[in-house]
């Protein structure tokens, strides 16, 4: 049990680091593609934790949540990239500052 607990702690540390890198990517970067990748990194950190706790508690519900998160992430990427392609065609840039025209 002690070895399994240490393993979960390692997953917690790894997921925290991945999530922090994703948050920094969203807050600091100006490129929309990198912001999308940072969001995916945060979702994968959450998925890692769900799977680790699912294995630790011997309950498959965490893995079911991971499946739903992955489906939502795939839909988000599909719609987001379509919007990004349209923005790039209209503005010629993927810089988030070029979207100031969308404000009221």
């Amino acid at each position: 049990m002690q070895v399994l607990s240490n393993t979960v702690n390692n997953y917690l540390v790894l997921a925290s680091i991945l999530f922090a890198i994703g948050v920094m990517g969203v807050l600091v970067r100006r490129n929309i593609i990198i912001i999308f990748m940072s969001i995916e990194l945060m979702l994968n950190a959450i998925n890692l934790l769900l799977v680790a706790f699912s294995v630790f508690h011997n309950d498959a519900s965490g893995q079911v949540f991971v499946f739903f998160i992955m489906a939502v992430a795939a839909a988000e990427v599909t719609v987001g990239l379509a919007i990004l392609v349209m923005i790039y065609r209209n503005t010629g840039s993927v810089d988030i500052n070029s979207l100031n025209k969308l404000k009221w």
Side-chain angles (χ1 to χ4, degrees), residues 1 6 23 26 30-32 34 42 47 53 61 69 81 102 104:
M1 189 69 174
N6 286 338
V23 168
V26 168
R30 303 279 47 143
N31 190 333
I32 297 173
I34 293 178
M42 288 190 290
N47 286 341
F53 284 126
S61 62
I69 289 173
L81 285 179
L102 296 177
W104 281 82

Side-chain angles (χ1 to χ4, degrees), residues 27-95:
L27 294 178
V28 173
R29 300 303 298 248
R30 303 279 47 143
N31 190 333
I32 297 173
I33 295 173
I34 293 178
I35 292 173
F36 274 147
M37 290 183 344
S38 298
I39 291 170
E40 293 296 322
L41 190 62
M42 288 190 290
L43 289 174
N44 283 328
I46 293 168
N47 286 341
L48 180 65
L49 277 182
L50 284 173
V51 169
F53 284 126
S54 174
V55 170
F56 181 70
H57 291 292
N58 202 13
D59 184 15
S61 62
Q63 295 172 13
V64 173
F65 283 127
V66 168
F67 176 73
F68 286 121
I69 289 173
M70 289 175 73
V72 169
E76 173 248 336
V77 166
T78 304
V79 172
L81 285 179
I83 292 171
L84 177 64
V85 168
M86 292 306 298
I87 289 172
Y88 180 75
R89 285 184 181 172
N90 288 328
T91 63
S93 173
V94 289
D95 188 20

